[in-house]
Amino acid sequence: MDEKELYEKWKRTVEMLKAEGIIKSEKVERAFLKCPRYLFVEDRYKKYAHVDEPLPIPAGQTISAPHMVAIMLEIADLKPGMNVLEVGTGSGWNAALIAEIVKGDVYSIERIPELVEFAKRNLERAGVKNVHVILGDGSKGFPPKSPYDAIIVTAGAPEIPKPLVEQLKPGGKLIIPVGSYHLWQELLEVIKREDGSIKIKNHGGVAFVPLIGEHGWRE
Ligand code: SAM
């Protein structure tokens, strides 16, 4: 499939997500159209990149399904200039979408060195310059660039990691799947109030690979 065909199929996926009410905002639609998923998968998977399902990436991990990424970005309601941390870089796709919406620097942390390299290569090829990929345990957040307006975690945790709440600005939001190790969690929106307390909204069942680290699951 050539690039033109890949893009046509991708546009249809975006239209479908809009028709289903999953993509709600213009900013998420624009980011999806600017950063198609096929730029963030290995060549052999490009022809499936428009299908609304997760796909394999190296090191036994996955790039999330387009609807899942759209749901998280709509909940995040990001605005230009926001300081955002993503935990679980994987392919770099979600980080590229975030960067497109905030129109500035994004920090994304990944624990597997092979994926740090994979994401950096994908981002470079896609011409995305303002995503900073860091190797490390994102369950501890990334204190040097905190506090954050939003932290988006794309792996499932056993509970809400305290350091992530601490690294949010008052009024900031943490979006994180919390639940069991084996692919079943609830997608939580954790809002930090001005007084430092938290309010939690549950957005329902999701299936992510585990967040492995000091404040996640143990290997
Ligand atoms: N956001 C990614 C994308 O756009 O391709 C998909 C992420 S994939 C579903 C989850 C990622 O989280 C995996 O790459 C995994 O290695 C990573 N991960 C798991 N535990 C982590 C941790 N403690 N810190 C950083 N990354 C972690």
Side-chain angles (χ1 to χ4, degrees), residues 41-153:
V41 295
E42 292 166 278
D43 285 349
R44 62 192 154 138
Y45 295 120
K46 284 194 191 303
K47 58 176 179 289
Y48 307 116
H50 65 284
V51 179
D52 193 14
E53 281 176 21
L55 283 175
I57 57 173
Q61 302 298 313
T62 53
I63 183 170
S64 302
H67 75 272
M68 195 65 255
V69 174
I71 287 171
M72 291 174 98
L73 289 174
E74 291 293 358
I75 294 170
D77 190 21
L78 302 173
K79 303 202 166 55
M82 279 189 169
N83 186 32
V84 181
L85 174 68
E86 185 201 24
V87 176
T89 316
S91 67
W93 180 44
N94 188 40
L97 295 167
I98 295 169
E100 183 55 35
I101 298 173
V102 302
K103 312 225 170 286
D105 291 331
V106 173
Y107 302 92
S108 182
I109 185 161
E110 169 59 55
R111 65 180 280 272
I112 300 177
E114 186 185 352
L115 288 176
V116 169
E117 293 315 311
F118 180 64
K120 282 184 177 171
R121 253 191 337 266
N122 291 338
L123 289 161
E124 195 182 317
R125 272 201 230 118
V128 179
K129 294 193 176 23
N130 41 5
V131 171
H132 306 277
V133 183
I134 302 131
L135 174 65
D137 175 5
S139 74
K140 298 192 281 190
F142 184 56
K145 295 295 174 185
S146 68
Y148 300 101
D149 294 288
I151 301 177
I152 301 179
V153 183

Side-chain angles (χ1 to χ4, degrees), residues 20 148 212:
E20 288 172 346
Y148 300 101
I212 295 172

Side-chain angles (χ1 to χ4, degrees), residues 160 165 168 172-174 188-202:
I160 298 168
V165 176
L168 280 179
K173 255 185 207 182
L174 165 66
L188 302 185
E189 176 185 358
V190 181
I191 301 156
K192 185 170 177 176
R193 297 195 188 96
E194 297 293 323
D195 66 3
S197 65
I198 59 170
K199 181 171 124 191
I200 300 175
K201 285 192 205 167
N202 188 332

